[in-house]
Amino acid sequence: MIFGAYIQLGSLHVASKAFNHITFENLHSWNTILASHSKNKCFYDVLQLFKRMLKEGKLVDSFNLVFAVKACFGLSLFQGAKLFHSLAIKLRLEGDPYVAPALMNVYTELGSLEEAHKVFEEVPLKNSVIWGVMIKGYLNFSEEFGVFELFSRMRRSGFELDPFVVEGLIQACGNVYAGKEGKTFHGLQMLADSVTPNSVTFASIVLACSSLGSLKQGRSVHGYMIRNGVELDVKNYTSFIDMYAKCGCIVTAYRVFCQIPEKNVFSWSTMINGFGMHGLCAEALNLFYEMRSVNQLPNSVTFVSVLSACSHSGRIEEGWSHFKSMSRDYGITPVEEHYACMVDLLGRAGKIDEALSFINNMPTEPGASAWGALLGACRIHRRAELAEEVAKKLLPLESDQSGVYVMLSNIYADVGMWEMVKKTRLKMCEKGLLKIVGFTSIEIKEKLYLFSSEDRFAYKNTQIESLWNSLKERMRELGYVPDLRFVLHDVDDEVKQEVLCGHSEKLAIVFGLLNSGEGMPIRITKNMRVCGDCHTASKFISLITRRKIIMRDVKRFHHVQDGVCSCGDYW
């Protein structure tokens, strides 16, 4: 076919002309020209060619029908998709393993989960693609519990899981974590109970446990693998290091690290990063030196972990030393993440102008990470004027612009510039941006409970309020003074104190005290930076209750015990 040669040369226009001069087009030639137009996203031409096929009475098969359906998706033609669905039914192709997922995908992408589900039910023998597309559809509509229901059906039908389906369930668990209490672990348990015990599938489950901070589930998976003789490779060991570190058990993470027979650069880097997250910079750097002593070369990821550890502990000289050694000693060219770590290191230490100079002298154009780190430093050190300039640089680069506006608004509030707070929030409204809701989670008896500051009214006249009031009185006797700077609203001091009492971290800690075993550590996770007043309050609470409080936020861990935090109040 001469037009086929033109297609291979990338000359679709010439190929189309050649195709039009063919005296006898067979099915292969039709499918070839349709595939080429579809690949080049010439969806209108696909539909015109398909229409011509039908008019000339050519054979329609699952292959060319799929191209027509995909063209409807490309052109957002919902009714067109329904028309081809009817044609598929007429030709008895509605359950075809190629046509069905194409129809399901176009329906879910164009807004009809119901139609997609109809197609799904029409497929007699469902393969992994069919199940996977339906799971994706439910996720698109935020129907996570529909995913769990599908998963249950898969189990009953004896269907073997594949990575695509596992990924869908994990995403559903993560979505539920962000919005519904107590249900995430139901999904994780379904996954853990159902997969064939091998290293690949369990790595996915452990990753989910790490993201969710689910220590109990993570331990269960680890124990299951050991009891059932699942052979652990270095990837599994590294996953468990990451999981234990992110669940607040850095000692256990290090024990797992020591068990690895042959460590690779990723296991070393993960352990270094774990130490850094927990503010154990000395341990992180010592491990880096040990890594070098056994002739394991670091990579780019290793240096992100090292620089991050220095940043969390304010070790400026060591940070500079390691940053310079990257290219000098190891031939590793610093990238955006390394520069952002250095900006964070300098900014946290109060060297704001030096951090700005560092950004301005970067050999490449600064990205969102570097500018974002500087904006965070402006918040810590209350540099509102510079924050305005940084935000102007950051907004065009940041996909989540709401975070930039919220940070800027918080900086204005911190220095009492309430008119600018109003203007910034108004800009957010005009752009249709929504503020991410801050929440704190705590795991109690295999259930995940979420608290937000809006929940404070729901706990009026409850055990939580009663215990908090009791703690508050004892805290004040010991010298606790609420830090009203962390109320980002222009209200009087009495209202500010009431707002502080209802911060999600405090609610979660008190809930943990009421519902966990005597003497057990309280482990909470915040989806953003821990509030400064809550950080102070946690130290008083730990002193009064003799309970260890472990707080994880987006940046690091705080281990609070006997009135002292592991961060040394440098965070």
Side-chain angles (χ1 to χ4, degrees), residues 533-552:
D533 182 71
C534 292
H535 182 264
T536 300
S538 69
K539 292 190 287 185
F540 281 95
I541 294 171
S542 74
L543 187 63
I544 293 166
T545 62
R546 301 296 178 188
R547 299 281 284 273
K548 184 174 183 179
I549 300 171
I550 302 170
M551 298 187 291
R552 170 187 171 185

Side-chain angles (χ1 to χ4, degrees), residues 463-477 544:
Q463 284 184 300
I464 290 179
E465 185 183 45
S466 176
L467 178 55
W468 169 246
N469 287 336
S470 174
L471 287 170
K472 187 168 57 175
E473 289 304 314
R474 295 181 65 186
M475 287 161 60
R476 283 176 174 164
E477 290 171 5
I544 293 166

Side-chain angles (χ1 to χ4, degrees), residues 151-377:
F151 189 73
S152 295
R153 286 181 61 180
M154 290 178 69
R155 291 170 64 189
R156 291 195 297 270
S157 66
F159 189 84
E160 188 75 21
L161 285 181
D162 69 2
F164 185 73
V165 174
V166 170
E167 182 184 348
L169 187 65
I170 288 173
Q171 186 180 339
C173 292
N175 291 352
V176 172
Y177 167 73
K180 309 257 190 340
E181 70 175 40
K183 300 295 185 181
T184 301
F185 300 113
H186 169 63
L188 277 178
Q189 194 61 56
M190 288 170 66
L191 185 56
D193 289 345
S194 306
V195 295
T196 303
N198 63 59
S199 59
V200 176
T201 49
F202 273 115
S204 298
I205 304 171
V206 175
L207 176 62
C209 293
S210 299
S211 301
L212 301 172
S214 172
L215 177 61
K216 191 173 182 69
Q217 288 288 335
R219 277 177 173 162
S220 296
V221 174
H222 193 185
Y224 183 95
M225 294 180 77
I226 293 171
R227 288 193 305 273
N228 288 274
V230 180
E231 186 176 352
L232 298 179
D233 56 21
V234 67
K235 183 177 180 181
N236 294 127
Y237 278 116
T238 303
S239 296
F240 282 119
I241 293 168
D242 184 60
M243 184 273 293
Y244 282 118
K246 287 180 177 175
C247 291
C249 295
I250 192 64
V251 174
T252 308
Y254 185 64
R255 284 179 190 152
V256 174
F257 173 78
C258 293
Q259 293 170 7
I260 304 177
E262 293 185 17
K263 302 173 181 68
N264 63 17
V265 66
F266 298 105
S267 52
W268 284 98
S269 301
T270 301
M271 192 66 244
I272 291 169
N273 186 61
F275 279 137
M277 284 171 57
H278 288 262
L280 302 171
C281 185
E283 287 81 353
L285 295 180
N286 286 338
L287 195 64
F288 175 75
Y289 301 137
E290 183 184 338
M291 175 186 182
R292 293 300 300 115
S293 71
V294 297
N295 297 319
Q296 173 65 67
L297 284 174
N299 64 10
S300 180
V301 175
T302 312
F303 277 103
V304 171
S305 300
V306 168
L307 295 175
S308 180
C310 292
S311 176
H312 287 313
S313 299
R315 299 202 178 194
I316 297 176
E317 289 185 11
E318 284 150 302
W320 271 119
S321 174
H322 288 295
F323 179 77
K324 291 173 181 176
S325 76
M326 287 177 59
S327 54
R328 184 188 65 224
D329 301 331
Y330 303 101
I332 299 172
T333 303
V335 295
E336 173 75 14
E337 286 182 283
H338 302 109
Y339 287 111
C341 284
M342 288 303 297
V343 173
D344 191 55
L345 170 63
L346 295 168
R348 282 179 190 274
K351 297 181 178 294
I352 307 290
D353 295 329
E354 191 175 335
L356 179 60
S357 175
F358 179 81
I359 288 180
N360 289 332
N361 288 290
M362 283 173 56
T364 58
E365 193 68 27
S369 298
W371 287 117
L374 186 58
L375 186 63

Side-chain angles (χ1 to χ4, degrees), residues 514-531:
L514 287 168
N515 293 281
S516 60
E518 186 69 29
M520 293 294 292
I522 306 296
R523 302 175 187 274
I524 66 170
T525 301
K526 181 76 183 286
N527 70 331
M528 48 186 64
R529 195 171 188 265
V530 168
C531 157

Side-chain angles (χ1 to χ4, degrees), residues 360-426:
N360 289 332
N361 288 290
M362 283 173 56
T364 58
E365 193 68 27
S369 298
W371 287 117
L374 186 58
L375 186 63
C378 289
R379 169 76 197 278
I380 294 170
H381 298 286
R382 308 174 77 188
R383 293 283 297 270
E385 190 174 331
L386 178 59
E388 291 178 358
E389 299 304 313
V390 174
K392 289 176 185 176
K393 299 281 189 180
L394 184 56
L395 281 168
L397 305 172
E398 187 62 78
S399 56
D400 175 27
Q401 291 192 338
S402 64
V404 180
Y405 282 113
V406 169
M407 178 70 80
L408 190 57
S409 172
N410 291 348
I411 293 169
Y412 287 139
D414 203 19
V415 296
M417 298 173 63
W418 298 111
E419 281 302 315
M420 293 305 297
V421 171
K422 290 178 184 177
K423 287 181 180 179
T424 306
R425 290 175 179 170
L426 183 61

Side-chain angles (χ1 to χ4, degrees), residues 51-62:
K51 182 179 178 181
R52 178 179 152 191
M53 271 187 68
L54 294 174
K55 189 175 181 180
E56 294 180 9
K58 305 298 182 183
L59 178 66
V60 175
D61 65 1
S62 60

